[in-house]
Amino acid sequence: MKNFFGAVLLLAATIYLVNFSGTVQPVAPLKPLSEFPANLGDFQVVNDRTFGAEVLGSLGVDHYIMRAYKNPDGYLLWLYIGFYESQSQGEIIHSPKHCMPGSGWNPVINTEVTLAGGPVIDQMLLQKGEERQLAHYWYQGRGRVVANEYVDRGYMVLDSLLKKRSDGALIRITGPGADFAGDTRKQHHFAQELLAVLDEYLPS
């Protein structure tokens, strides 16, 4: 039943954006994502990736970074931040719940977790063959951190009406998940460091 109402809300949000997106005003990041810190806690950037035209066309994203960070213990994770100045049909945040399994990764665990300090984010443990990958993600924009895609779409419709804004970002962290408890702690630590600086870049 929860998924049914979520699907209805998602459909209503899409219909609204298709018909009324002309009233929404694009909003740019507060600072370029390219200036995002190279150091977050004890994690340091070791790689910076760019997408090709085909991938960018599929995502419809306006600004993004895709970076690898590594801690002194050698734990490597990837951070993706994709920011949309406004969202409309064909240019809307894609949920990792759909695109990651579409790449051959089968979800073993999919739940919401609470970080120290209160933010709730989504956690996924995925498996492909013998390999396991751990992911944490959330939607952030217009002053909110939201784990659930349907709730985020609901807020987007509300803010489109009241604020004339539909800007928002997907924040996704991925890395090895063989040591589930230990890898979870590492990613949670990184997520907390990340949340401490995101407000400098994403409009509230």
Side-chain angles (χ1 to χ4, degrees):
M1 184 63 70
K2 179 181 178 181
N3 289 338
F4 171 77
F5 284 114
V8 170
L9 179 60
L10 183 61
L11 177 61
T14 303
I15 292 172
Y16 173 82
L17 288 169
V18 169
N19 291 287
F20 300 101
S21 59
T23 64
V24 172
Q25 302 300 315
V27 179
L30 300 177
K31 296 195 293 189
L33 293 183
S34 59
E35 297 178 3
F36 209 76
N39 295 281
L40 290 168
D42 57 355
F43 282 85
Q44 183 173 3
V45 166
V46 294
N47 199 349
D48 203 331
R49 182 178 296 174
T50 58
F51 297 142
E54 184 176 347
V55 173
L56 287 175
S58 175
L59 290 174
V61 68
D62 295 303
H63 309 270
Y64 77 95
I65 56 171
M66 182 69 171
R67 290 181 174 178
Y69 286 79
K70 184 185 287 187
N71 73 0
D73 295 331
Y75 185 76
L76 179 73
L77 56 77
W78 283 91
L79 167 66
Y80 169 74
I81 302 175
F83 180 79
Y84 296 72
E85 294 189 0
S86 65
Q87 297 181 71
S88 60
Q89 186 182 35
E91 296 180 345
I92 200 164
I93 294 174
H94 298 252
S95 170
K97 284 184 181 178
H98 306 304
C99 60
M100 294 186 76
S103 301
W105 290 96
N106 298 310
V108 178
I109 296 173
N110 190 348
T111 188
E112 293 181 0
V113 295
T114 303
L115 297 177
V120 177
I121 63 176
D122 210 295
Q123 179 186 71
M124 293 180 70
L125 180 65
L126 304 113
Q127 186 161 346
K128 181 192 288 187
E130 298 299 316
E131 186 178 359
R132 285 196 166 189
Q133 186 178 67
L134 181 64
H136 289 86
Y137 68 90
W138 64 91
Y139 307 90
Q140 186 163 340
R142 308 177 310 280
R144 301 184 188 90
V145 173
V146 179
N148 185 287
E149 63 181 295
Y150 300 122
V151 174
D152 181 63
R153 295 286 172 86
Y155 279 130
M156 183 175 61
V157 172
L158 182 65
D159 291 340
S160 296
L161 288 167
L162 301 180
K163 300 181 180 180
K164 306 303 181 186
R165 290 175 55 187
S166 64
D167 52 287
L170 171 67
I171 319 298
R172 188 188 68 203
I173 301 165
T174 54
D179 175 13
F180 179 70
D183 296 339
T184 294
R185 285 194 297 272
K186 294 182 181 76
Q187 291 200 15
H188 282 195
H189 170 69
F190 183 83
Q192 288 169 314
E193 297 288 345
L194 181 59
L195 282 160
V197 298
L198 277 172
D199 284 343
E200 299 176 24
Y201 296 83
L202 306 182
S204 59

